[in-house]
């Protein structure tokens, strides 16, 4: 094992060091502030690369660190972090997106640059922490910590209705996560104390009624974050009002918290409830796909359109994850990354034109291709990635999701969801056409400048990833597949075992064939 | 024997309570509160007699002290208020609400 | 007839109270000689007293029983009361720090302020360590009488008068109920000693079904509910908090509330464990009412002091959740929470004091528009306090709330906790509202009148530490709290 | 032996990258065009080598999988980037790269001076790349990559003149319609993969593997569903009923694009796909019937519309739709080889026709431009008598027209006749045969009619062009004419490699080389037909000869009608229109299908979207969310008034609290 | 005899206390309250607590009431100008009645601790003297509370001074 010790902590807290440094910087020296933030995020990204190389393709948590943290009364919380195949790529995605986000606001944010960068870096700490936590309490802490900087990012640097959007975002998310906290504590007592180690909770065998409630509480928190229909309405508002980097991070990483939560917590912890609620969630996911697509179709604001497309994409993820087979979950996970890359890129693109024109209304544009050919090309590629064109990343994930869902128990859901493929093409291309094609009528658009070097530099890595993940997703899939196997096993084994108890002997073969999980001792 | 006293003190206590609720003059309200305290005192002493235990009477002693202290401070507060508002009517003690 | 036997006068058991009282009396004397503009020195002196008292509190920790008990079972300075005493000292210390700046600004820096604060603190301490209903009652009265005066301390200000008068009338009224409850308890058990009540209840199995005992408990509970501002006995809180001088509001929201809880807990948990079923269901209802009323009404408040008053009602509700749980974690949670609440609330009030302008208190949320532009650090700190009040990690407020709620969960009160967290989520709205104005609105004011007085800044700094450190590494304090529980 | 086939798609990809990334800086049109064309030429060369290699092998060793790398692997699912080299793909390779190369060459001339010249060539190369992937992919998913890729390029190229709204609309329409088809294709992949895996433990999407296990599907009903959803995919891509409407609109793109994509290659992908999966289709008779009926109906339907169009390219577009219908008809009657054969010959003559029309338009455009006229350069009513001005174009165009009309011995005759014969003789569909044949024959009649109408209106009669522009009309440059000539030759002689058995026998044992060559691919189907007695053997040779003659006669009748109406008596069409105004209007307006689709799908979707957004999202969901907020605020607003400020009220609330609490406990 | 006496004094006490809350003029209320206090003092005597009766008269009637009357005079408060509205009074009365009703209800159902549990009987009071008993209790068992009262009074004095002294 050539795994560096404390690497995860280094990655997670490097941005915090950045925050501290920023606190002591002169707030008027914008370029230094930006540069520092850039350097810090870049260092974080570089530091996270050894995670990929050092990661062994097995189901275990790796790079594990454990330090006792809180021990009081009945509680034992640890600083217990580690990554497995499921979180590995999300961590990388986070560290990868952050420099881009910082770079994207180089000129967009001129006010309170210092605070802005602090918020961004704090946000990174929160996100990374949430992805690497094995201790549930720690997870919750980071989960909440993310909320604050995002709230400020939307609220301070946002658009006209920023306050409404920020508060809505905050309280919406807060309601869900607090209920999750209740469930978390309840679960802890159910487990009979000890610590908040996720692996211990995995071994619990809860009765179905309890599972139902706990699952609902967890699922609510995650579903709000995802966001799933009908809990999605905060998202278009938040996205529309947030500054570019905020939208990018929100779409690329924050939303993943929800789906990640399902995969990491809600499903493996509560297998019976998962089985019970799969039809409901799949229905909501499918409704989300179609619904968001239809709504996106008629949007007048580019950003809102992209926001709704996010809802649709995340619907795919949810569908795949709840298919509970290798293809579905892997597809869902991959789709999470894809969505991070391509929707992040879309928001960047919207940011570019917003910076130039200070409007996002589709009708204000038209014919930009002529004036901005490079932009047009990039926009095209990203659009295509977003609608899941083969060869781009979007396709692989979407395909695996649908395949998994089809192959698993969600056949008809998959059929309906597949029609979302048509709708996504409709709304994305229609938007693209109205923005980029047609005559360059609006005189304000006739003097637009094409992308500059910085902007191209922002987009280049994303474009590379779009194609790389589309053409060669194997490394991603390989690293995550053992962890996914384990997750599936956890989410189905206990349920299957219970089924077998209930089902008469003759029908036992009907239950899915699963093996018992490797013995993990309770602490 | 005990019940009579307890009932009587209950009656007095209720009357005191009613007084607090229906009077508008702060001083009268305070007097009603004193009435309540006295009702409690009666309870204490009756119980003390009943139990053959002097603690209750000591308690009454302290209650009286408290009543005196409260009277001093309360009346001072009323005077201060009156100086500013020329009234001691509780309907005028109403600058802060909602 | 036996001769008079003086009880063992164990000064160790009332050492902090003694120190504070002596310092207060010294201050009263000195007050005569200190000219009006230099009353701040009295404040520093009282700080010295507080620090000394704090050391005595620290040294009393885990002391042997012989040093804890005194005065024939009138007082017991156990870890429980010591923890509370620390909270009182911290809140009074912080209140002293922010007082001078405000009082000078408002031109009412009478030297009596500091002795009164110290006496109030001593009263609180007696409440927390009293094991006789008389001690508790008298402690409560010392506290209340001081607070009536402190609330009405700005004599020339009608609002302050009004606050004092309202507090006085309602306080005295509630005292009536409290006393009646004590009388009935005395009647039912034949003793005023906490331990005696518990023993009587343990001996006589019928006592728990005796209405006199139950009603005695209920009336005492209402009396204490008034002190901790639990609905429907909370009505005085907003008006008094709004009208009282801001430092005193800060003080009142932290110390006396904790003192109320201290006595409340001791009476119910130590003296009346046999009625646990009754009082915990009562507290269940009170907690729900209190949280909901506090949070809901706070939503539409514009005056930040009044908003914090309602929020303090809500916070009392959270504590009642832990109290209703009736287990050790609940008590530890209240201890921890009251401690962190002292820091975060007084911290917030300190900033309110700084923002306030003479004549114009600038207490409305709108007055904070653009605060972050002019004073980024202070705004950040204010945001920190508000986040802590809202219970967002990694702040002390979160850990405290977590502990309280989990104790209730442990006791099986799931719905109570769910109502609690939903309330907590709703509370975000009004805390965020302040931040909305601080960060997301353009400045209207120049904030040029703000004088950054060092003691106030020190208070803020201490509060920041008190909010952040227990939030990040709560272990030590939680362990202390855990050791301070009664059961 | 086939290790280097990956080069075939690679060259165009490189061409695409060079032109796409650096085209703007290169600027030099010759270099850009050269790179584009050369890339395809290289592919063509490799393809030729591959073909020779295949031919050199024994018949049963002609199927090869060439793996490159694993693309997606997840659980049991695996999709490789791997190529399938077999006779079918070889033929397609030849057609695609060959015709593609010619069109690239043509484009250098045609697109001269256009803005975004580099863009055009990079798109073309990308298209070649995708098409080659589609053709060579050894599994369904890789084929789907190409499938979507060509759709994308089609979109890009149709929208090449993006500043024209109609172009953008057409591109989008094409993409979306294709996506509808792709929806079917995807479902097909899913169901096929799932069914085979679930029931037989064979988790694969690879063609050769599937073919190996083809008999597992025998007699299972789900196969009908699977093949049908695949067919939905095919209808989208190949512009069959009901998804054909995008193809005529696709004529907004530059003409070489129409020639390459919307005539010769991409649109035949559906046919190719069905041929590729013939082993499934042959076992699903219901599907085959549907395929045949859709094909026949499309052939006829599109032909009717073709008779009334005035835009030269639109006529060709509808003719393409119609001819594709023929191919599907062939597929539907199990005549896979015949379908592929028609695919090939159609590629030759339709490419020729399109390029020829392009040359005409190019010339017209130039002339009208010189004359500062705003007349439509594509409207046949503005043309006429061009043969004198553009003799070479005319010649090649005429050859191709004769080929499409089905006059022997031109290529179209052999392929079309084979299809008609199979439709008539194949016992697969029982009595539907006659209907299918009838549709085919009627379509052939109309084809001959409208194609010659086109020729006559364009090249014959008097010149109706703006007089000022007349003198500027001229023959196109060599770079344009050369591909025309090559294609014309191919159209003329291309049919000989697939001479029907009957004629071959008559000529003395000349075998149908084409069919023989494809044997390994369609072997299973043939075997299947044999075992199930579905052999078109019970018709006499006389019948076949008779039908062959009949089809020629039909063609001639069509030509004659056109001649009568558009050369001899120019007033006839007008009279006809006057007599049947409704019919004409319906046909002229393409049977109002577009409007119908708007009414049925587009508008409802938009209004539904609007409703969901403004009605559901904003009013209901947000209403609830904000409503909860407002309720709380409302409560707050009311509750705060309890805090009346009056001490007695406060005392009252306290007393009430005590009373209630005590009451609860003592009366409990 | 004792019962009769109790009844008479109780009636006076109740009546005078009703007067306290009904008299319009605060002075009258105050005087009625004094009357009540005297009645209570009588009861204290009857309950073997003569010392308490004495301080009841001295402290309450003597000191506190004088203070109150003094303030009433000082502030020159006349009769209340307006009355609380009738239904406010009605509702309040109902609530107060409930207080009474509930108290009586539970009192009838409850039992006090055993009679004569403690050592203090009438004879003890007679022999030792009530004042001595109280004094001993206060200086031994309740020394701390007693000391606290000193604090309390000090606070009250300071408070009164702070709130009402003319100059600072």
């Amino acid at each position: 094992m050539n795994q560096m010790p404390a690497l995860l902590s280094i990655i997670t807290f490097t941005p915090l060091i950045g925050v501290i440094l920023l606190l002591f910087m002169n707030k008027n020296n914008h370029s230094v502030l930006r540069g520092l933030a850039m350097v810090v995020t870049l260092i974080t990204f570089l530091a996270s690369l050894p995670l990929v190389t050092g990661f062994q393709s097995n189901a275990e948590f790796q790079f594990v660190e454990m330090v006792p943290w809180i021990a009081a009364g009945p509680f034992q919380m640890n600083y217990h972090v580690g990554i497995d195949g499921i979180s590995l790529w999300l961590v990388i995605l986070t560290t990868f997106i952050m420099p881009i986000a910082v770079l994207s606001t180089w000129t967009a944010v001129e006010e309170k640059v210092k605070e802005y960068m602090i918020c961004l870096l704090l946000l990174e700490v929160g996100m990374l922490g949430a992805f690497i936590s094995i201790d549930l309490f720690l997870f919750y802490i980071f989960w909440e910590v993310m909320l604050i900087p995002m709230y400020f990012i939307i609220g301070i640097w946002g658009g006209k209705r920023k306050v409404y959007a920020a508060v809505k975002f905050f309280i919406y998310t807060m309601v869900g996560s607090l209920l999750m906290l209740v469930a978390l504590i309840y679960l802890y007592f159910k487990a009979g104390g000890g610590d908040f180690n996720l692996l211990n909770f995995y071994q619990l065998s809860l009765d179905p009624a309890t599972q139902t409630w706990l699952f609902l509480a967890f699922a609510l928190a995650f579903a709000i974050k995802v966001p799933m229909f009908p809990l999605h309405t905060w998202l278009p508002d938040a996205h529309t009002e947030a500054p570019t980097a905020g939208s990018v991070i929100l779409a690329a990483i924050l939303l993943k918290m929800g789906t990640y939560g399902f995969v990491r917590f809600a499903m493996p912890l509560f297998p019976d409830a998962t089985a019970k609620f799969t039809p409901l969630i799949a229905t909501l996911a499918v409704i989300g796909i179609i619904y968001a697509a239809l709504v996106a179709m008629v949007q007048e604001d580019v950003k809102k359109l992209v926001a709704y497309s996010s809802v649709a994409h995340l619907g795919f993820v949810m569908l795949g994850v709840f298919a509970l087979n290798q293809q579905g979950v892997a597809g869902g996970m991959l789709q999470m990354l894809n969505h991070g890359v391509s929707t992040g890129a879309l928001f960047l693109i919207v940011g570019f034109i917003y910076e130039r024109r200070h409007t996002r209304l589709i009708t204000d544009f038209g014919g930009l291709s002529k004036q901005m050919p490079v932009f047009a090309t990039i926009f095209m590629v990203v659009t295509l990635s977003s609608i899941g064109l083969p060869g781009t990343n979007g396709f692989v994930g979407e395909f695996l999701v649908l395949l998994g869902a089809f192959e698993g128990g969600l056949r008809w859901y998959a059929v309906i969801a597949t029609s979302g493929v048509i709708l996504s093409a409709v709304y994305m291309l229609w938007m693209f056409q109205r923005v980029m094609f047609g005559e360059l009528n609006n005189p304000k658009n006739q003097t637009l400048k094409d992308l500059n070097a910085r902007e191209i530099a922002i987009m280049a890595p994303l474009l590379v990833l779009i194609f790389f993940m589309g053409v060669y997703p194997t490394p991603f899939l390989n690293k995550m597949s053992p962890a996914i196997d384990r997750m599936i096993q956890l989410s189905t084994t206990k349920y299957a075992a219970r089924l077998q108890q209930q089902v008469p002997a003759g029908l036992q073969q009907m239950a899915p064939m699963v093996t018992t999980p490797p013995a993990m001792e309770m602490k | 024997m005990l019940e009579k006293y307890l009932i009587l003190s209950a009656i007095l206590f209720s009357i005191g309570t009613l007084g607090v609720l229906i009077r508008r003059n702060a001083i009268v309200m305070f007097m009603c509160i004193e009435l309540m305290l006295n009702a409690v005192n009666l309870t204490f002493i009756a119980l003390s007699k009943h139990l053959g235990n002097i603690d209750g009477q000591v308690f009454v002693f302290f209650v009286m002290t408290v009543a005196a202290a409260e009277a001093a401070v309360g009346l001072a507060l009323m005077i201060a208020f009156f100086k500013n508002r020329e009234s001691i009517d509780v309907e005028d003690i109403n600058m802060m609400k909602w | 007839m036996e001769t008079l036997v003086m009880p063992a006068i164990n000064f160790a058991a009332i050492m902090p109270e003694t120190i504070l009282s002596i310092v207060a009396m010294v201050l009263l004397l000195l007050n005569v000689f200190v000219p009006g503009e230099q009353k701040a020195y009295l404040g520093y002196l009282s700080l010295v007293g507080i620090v000394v008292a704090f050391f005595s509190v620290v040294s009393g920790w885990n002391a042997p029983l012989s040093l804890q008990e005194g005065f024939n079972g009138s007082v017991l300075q156990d870890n429980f009361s010591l923890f509370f005493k620390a909270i009182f000292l911290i809140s009074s210390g912080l209140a002293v720090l922010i007082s001078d700046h405000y009082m000078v600004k408002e031109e009412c820096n009478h030297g009596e302020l500091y002795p009164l604060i110290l006496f109030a603190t001593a009263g609180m301490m007696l409440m927390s360590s009293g094991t006789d209903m008389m001690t508790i009652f008298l402690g409560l009265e010392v506290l209340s009488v001081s607070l009536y005066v402190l609330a009405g301390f700005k004599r020339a200000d009608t609002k302050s008068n009004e606050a004092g008068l309202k507090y006085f009338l309602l306080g005295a009224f509630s005292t009536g109920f409290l006393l009646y409850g004590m009388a009935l308890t005395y009647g039912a058990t034949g003793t005023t000693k906490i331990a005696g009540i518990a023993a009587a209840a343990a001996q006589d199995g019928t006592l728990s079904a005796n209405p006199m005992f139950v009603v005695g408990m209920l009336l005492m509970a209402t009396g204490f509910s008034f002190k901790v501002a639990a609905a429907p006995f909370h009505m005085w809180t907003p008006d008094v908090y709004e009208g009282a001088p801001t430092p005193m509001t800060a003080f009142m929201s932290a110390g006396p509330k904790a003192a109320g809880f201290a006595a409340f807990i001791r009476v119910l948990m130590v003296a009346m464990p046999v009625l646990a079923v009754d009082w915990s269901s009562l507290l269940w209802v009170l907690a729900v009412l209190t949280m909901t009323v506090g949070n809901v009404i706070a939503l539409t408040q514009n005056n930040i002091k009044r908003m914090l008053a309602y929020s303090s009602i809500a916070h009392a509700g959270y504590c009642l959740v832990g109290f209703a749980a009736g287990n050790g974690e609940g008590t530890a949670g209240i201890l921890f929470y009251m401690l962190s609440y002292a820091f975060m609330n007084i911290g917030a009030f300190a900033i309110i004091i700084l923002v306030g302008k003479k004549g114009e208190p600038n207490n409305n949320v709108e007055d904070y528009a653009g605060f972050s532009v002019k004073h980024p650090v202070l705004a950040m700190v204010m945001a920190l306090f508000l986040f802590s009040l809202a219970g967002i990690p990694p702040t002390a407020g979160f850990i405290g709330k977590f502990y309280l709620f989990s104790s209730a969960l442990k006791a099986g009160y799931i719905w109570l906790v769910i109502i609690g967290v939903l309330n907590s989520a709703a509370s975000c709205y009004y805390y965020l509202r302040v931040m909305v104005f601080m960060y997301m609105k353009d400045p209207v004011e120049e904030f040029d009148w703000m004088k950054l007085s060092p003691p106030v800044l020190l208070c803020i700094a201490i509060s920041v530490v008190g909010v952040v450190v227990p939030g990040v590494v709560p272990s030590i304090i939680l362990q202390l709290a855990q050791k301070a529980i009664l059961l | 032996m086939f290790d280097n086939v990956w080069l075939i798609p690679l060259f165009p990809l490189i061409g695409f990258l060079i032109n796409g990334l650096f085209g703007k800086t290169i600027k030099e049109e010759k270099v850009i065009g050269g790179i584009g064309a050369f890339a395809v030429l290289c592919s063509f060369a490799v393809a030729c080598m591959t073909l020779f290699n295949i031919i050199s092998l024994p018949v049963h060793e002609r199927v090869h999988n060439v793996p490159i790398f694993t693309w997606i692997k997840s659980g049991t699912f695996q999709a490789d980037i791997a190529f399938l080299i077999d006779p079918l793909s070889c033929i397609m390779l030849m057609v695609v790269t060959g015709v593609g190369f010619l069109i690239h060459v043509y484009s250098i001339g045609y697109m001269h001076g256009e803005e975004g010249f580099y863009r055009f060539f990079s798109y073309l190369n990308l298209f070649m790349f995708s098409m080659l992937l589609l053709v060579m992919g050894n599994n369904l998913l890789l084929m789907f990559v190409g499938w979507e890729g060509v759709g994308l390029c089609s979109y890009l190229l149709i929208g090449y003149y993006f500043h024209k709204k109609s172009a953008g609309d057409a591109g989008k329409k094409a993409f979306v319609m294709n996506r509808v088809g792709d929806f079917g294709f995807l479902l097909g992949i899913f169901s096929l993969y799932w069914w085979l895996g679930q029931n037989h433990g064979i988790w694969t999407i690879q063609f050769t593997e599937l073919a190996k296990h083809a008999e597992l599907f025998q007699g299972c009903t789900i196969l009908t569903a699977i093949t049908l959803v695949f067919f939905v995919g095919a209808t989208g891509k190949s512009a069959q009923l009901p998804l054909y409407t995008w193809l005529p609109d696709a004529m907004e793109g530059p003409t070489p694009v129409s020639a390459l994509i919307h005539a010769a290659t991409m649109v035949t992908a559906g046919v190719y796909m069905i041929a590729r999966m013939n082993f499934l289709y042959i076992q699903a008779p219901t599907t085959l019937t549907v395929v045949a009926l859709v094909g026949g109906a499309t052939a006829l339907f599109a032909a009717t519309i073709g008779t009334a169009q005035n835009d030269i390219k639109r006529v060709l577009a509808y003719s393409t739709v119609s001819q594709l219908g023929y191919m599907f008809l062939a597929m539907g009657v199990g005549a896979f080889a015949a379908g592929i054969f028609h695919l090939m010959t159609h590629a030759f003559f339709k490419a020729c026709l399109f390029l020829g029309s392009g040359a005409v338009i190019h010339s017209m455009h130039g002339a009208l431009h010189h004359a500062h006229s705003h007349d439509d350069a594509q409207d046949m009513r503005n043309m006429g008598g061009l043969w004198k001005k553009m003799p070479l174009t005319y010649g090649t165009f005429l050859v191709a027209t004769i080929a499409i009309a089905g006059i022997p011995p031109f290529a179209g005759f052999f392929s079309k006749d084979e299809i008609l014969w199979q439709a008539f003789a194949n016992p697969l569909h029982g009595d539907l045969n006659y209907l299918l044949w009838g549709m085919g024959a009627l379509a052939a009649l109309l084809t001959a009619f409208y194609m010659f109408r086109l020729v006559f209106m364009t090249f014959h009669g008097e010149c109706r062009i703006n007089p000022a522009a007349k003198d500027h009309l001229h023959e196109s440059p060599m770079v344009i004419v050369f591909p025309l000539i090559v294609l014309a030759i191919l159209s003329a002689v291309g049919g000989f490699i697939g001479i029907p058995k009957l004629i071959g026998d008559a000529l003395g044992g000349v075998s149908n080389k084409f069919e023989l060559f494809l044997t390994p691919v369609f072997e299973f189907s043939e075997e299947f037909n044999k075992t199930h007695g579905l052999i078109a053997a019970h018709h006499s040779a006389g019948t076949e000869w008779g039908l062959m003659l009949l089809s020629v006669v039909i063609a001639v009748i069509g030509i004659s009608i056109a001649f009568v109406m558009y050369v001899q008596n120019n007033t006839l069409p007008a009279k006809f229109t006057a007599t049947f105004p409704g019919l004409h209007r319906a046909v002229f307006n393409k049977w109002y299908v577009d409007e119908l689709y708007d009414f049925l799908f587009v508008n409802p979707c938009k209004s539904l979207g609007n409703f969901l957004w403004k009605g559901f999202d904003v009013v209901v969901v947000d209403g609830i969310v904000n409503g909860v907020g407002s309720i709380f605020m409302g409560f707050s607003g009311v509750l705060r008034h309890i805090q009346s400020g009056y001490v007695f009220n406060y005392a009252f609330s306290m007393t009430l609290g005590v009373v209630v609490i005590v009451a609860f406990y003592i009366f409990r | 005899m004792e019962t009769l006496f109790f009844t008479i004094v109780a009636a006076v006490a109740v009546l005078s206390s009703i007067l306290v809350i009904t008299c319009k003029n605060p002075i009258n209320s105050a005087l009625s309250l004094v009357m009540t206090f005297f009645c209570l003092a009588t009861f204290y005597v009857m309950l073997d607590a003569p010392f308490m009766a004495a301080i009841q008269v001295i402290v309450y009637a003597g000191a506190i009431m004088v203070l109150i009357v003094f303030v009433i005079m000082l502030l020159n408060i006349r009769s209340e100008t307006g009355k609380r509205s009738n239904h406010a009074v009605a509702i309040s009365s109902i609530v107060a009645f409930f207080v009474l009703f509930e108290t009586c209800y539970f009192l009838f159902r409850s039992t006090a601790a055993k009679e004569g549990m403690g050592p203090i009987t009438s004879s003890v009071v007679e022999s030792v003297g009530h004042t001595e008993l109280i004094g001993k209790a206060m200086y031994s068992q309740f020394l701390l509370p007693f000391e606290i009262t000193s604090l309390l009074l000090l606070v009250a004095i300071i408070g009164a001074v702070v709130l009402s002294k003319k100059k600072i």
Side-chain angles (χ1 to χ4, degrees), chain D residues 154-174:
Chain D
S154 157
Y155 166 74
L156 293 172
L157 286 163
I158 294 169
Y160 180 74
Y161 299 114
F162 57 78
H163 49 86
K164 274 163 64 186
K165 183 172 185 306
S166 56
D169 283 342
K172 192 188 77 201
K173 190 171 176 183

Side-chain angles (χ1 to χ4, degrees), chain A residues 164 168 230 232-233 291 299 308 327 384 387 390 399 402-403 411 421 429-430 433 438-439 470-471 473-474, chain D residues 70-71 74-77 141 148 152 162-163 169 172 175 179 183 190 194 612-613 616-617 621-622 625-626:
Chain A
Y164 172 74
K168 193 172 175 184
H232 62 279
T233 51
Y291 178 94
Q299 292 304 314
Y308 273 108
Q327 287 90 0
L384 294 173
I387 64 181
F399 178 79
L402 292 171
L403 183 73
R411 194 151 310 120
V421 170
L429 289 181
W430 196 30
Q433 184 198 347
E439 299 219 28
V471 175
T474 315
Chain D
T70 300
W71 177 30
S74 174
T76 51
F77 179 82
L141 202 61
E148 285 261 284
L152 165 72
F162 57 78
H163 49 86
D169 283 342
K172 192 188 77 201
F175 198 94
R179 272 260 159 163
F183 166 65
F190 298 151
W194 159 72
L612 290 179
W613 176 33
F616 194 78
D617 236 37
V621 182
D622 257 4
V625 172
N626 294 337

Side-chain angles (χ1 to χ4, degrees), chain C residues 383-466:
Chain C
L384 176 75
F385 294 141
L386 292 172
F387 276 127
S388 183
L389 286 167
I392 287 163
T395 56
F398 166 74
I399 301 282
K401 224 178 248 181
F402 172 84
Y403 224 75
L404 287 172
F405 287 157
S406 50
S407 70
L409 270 180
K410 196 181 175 200
Y413 293 124
I414 296 172
W415 282 108
L416 180 59
V417 175
I418 287 175
I419 294 168
V421 295
L422 289 180
N423 262 300
S424 183
S427 76
C428 291
Y429 176 80
Y430 56 84
Y431 296 125
L432 290 188
R433 194 152 165 266
V434 181
M435 275 178 263
V436 163
F437 276 95
M438 288 197 307
Y439 279 97
M440 302 169 194
K441 304 271 175 177
D442 292 326
V444 220
E445 304 264 15
E446 285 296 315
F447 297 100
D448 48 3
W449 65 84
M450 279 182 59
K451 256 204 319 223
L452 301 179
S453 140
V456 181
L457 292 182
L458 177 64
C459 165
I460 292 172
I462 294 172
S463 302
V464 168
V465 174

Side-chain angles (χ1 to χ4, degrees), chain D residues 219 310 334 370 406 464 480 601 631 658:
Chain D
N310 288 326
H370 272 287
R464 292 179 295 275
I480 287 183
F601 303 109
I631 286 171
V658 173

Side-chain angles (χ1 to χ4, degrees), chain C residues 57-65 68 77-79 82 480 483:
Chain C
V57 164
V58 171
S59 65
W61 186 260
N62 274 343
L65 191 63
Q68 292 183 341
Q77 186 176 245
D78 50 2
N79 283 354
L82 283 170
L480 287 178
K483 277 187 197 134

Side-chain angles (χ1 to χ4, degrees), chain E residues 136-147:
Chain E
K136 277 184 178 166
M138 212 147 14
Y139 283 99
S140 59
Q141 240 193 320
F142 300 108
L143 181 62
L144 181 67
F146 181 72
E147 292 298 337

